[in-house]
Amino acid sequence: MRRGDNNRKIGDIIKKLMKNPRLVEKLDKLDAIEIWQEIIGSQLHKYITSQNISDGILYIKLNSSVVRNELMYKKTQLLKQINQRLGKKFISDIILR
């Protein structure tokens, strides 16, 4: 009996937290970066020195110009895949540096 009450309370807390737009945005950023890493794979991920999302733009800093050029050709496709897997248009552009 007590266990059911705890589950209901936890569910209510999670629902309440998910109504906070700032929290939802931060979780979406984390999800988008995780999806980005899954899409490019570990072979290309080793060339990334930093990644960040700001104002709907995914900024990727690379230490290889060859990898940067390769990703530039696939940028539209990568952008589409990220947003599709998120289920909404969250990332508007990818900037490769």
Side-chain angles (χ1 to χ4, degrees):
M1 209 172 186
R2 187 175 176 118
R3 180 175 246 166
D5 291 339
N6 285 341
N7 287 341
R8 193 168 336 131
K9 290 178 184 178
I10 291 171
D12 292 340
I13 291 169
I14 291 172
K15 286 179 187 177
K16 196 172 191 176
L17 286 173
M18 293 308 293
K19 289 181 182 178
N20 183 339
R22 289 186 0 195
L23 179 61
V24 171
E25 183 181 356
K26 287 181 182 183
L27 290 173
D28 284 342
K29 285 181 180 182
L30 290 173
D31 287 342
I33 289 176
E34 184 178 322
I35 290 168
W36 162 259
Q37 291 173 353
E38 289 174 8
I39 290 171
I40 63 166
S42 61
Q43 292 298 320
L44 294 178
H45 185 28
K46 62 185 175 187
Y47 296 104
I48 295 175
T49 57
S50 70
Q51 50 199 2
N52 185 29
I53 298 175
S54 179
D55 296 327
I57 300 173
L58 176 59
Y59 294 93
I60 305 295
K61 191 170 184 180
L62 299 147
N63 60 9
S64 168
S65 60
V66 174
V67 173
R68 182 175 35 256
N69 287 337
E70 181 181 336
L71 292 175
M72 281 295 250
Y73 289 117
K74 297 179 180 183
K75 188 166 114 170
T76 305
Q77 180 185 8
L78 293 168
L79 187 62
K80 184 178 177 181
Q81 286 180 347
I82 292 169
N83 286 327
Q84 195 171 42
R85 287 184 54 187
L86 278 173
K88 60 183 169 181
K89 187 173 187 323
F90 183 71
I91 304 294
S92 61
D93 197 8
I94 299 173
I95 305 293
L96 301 166
R97 299 179 183 167

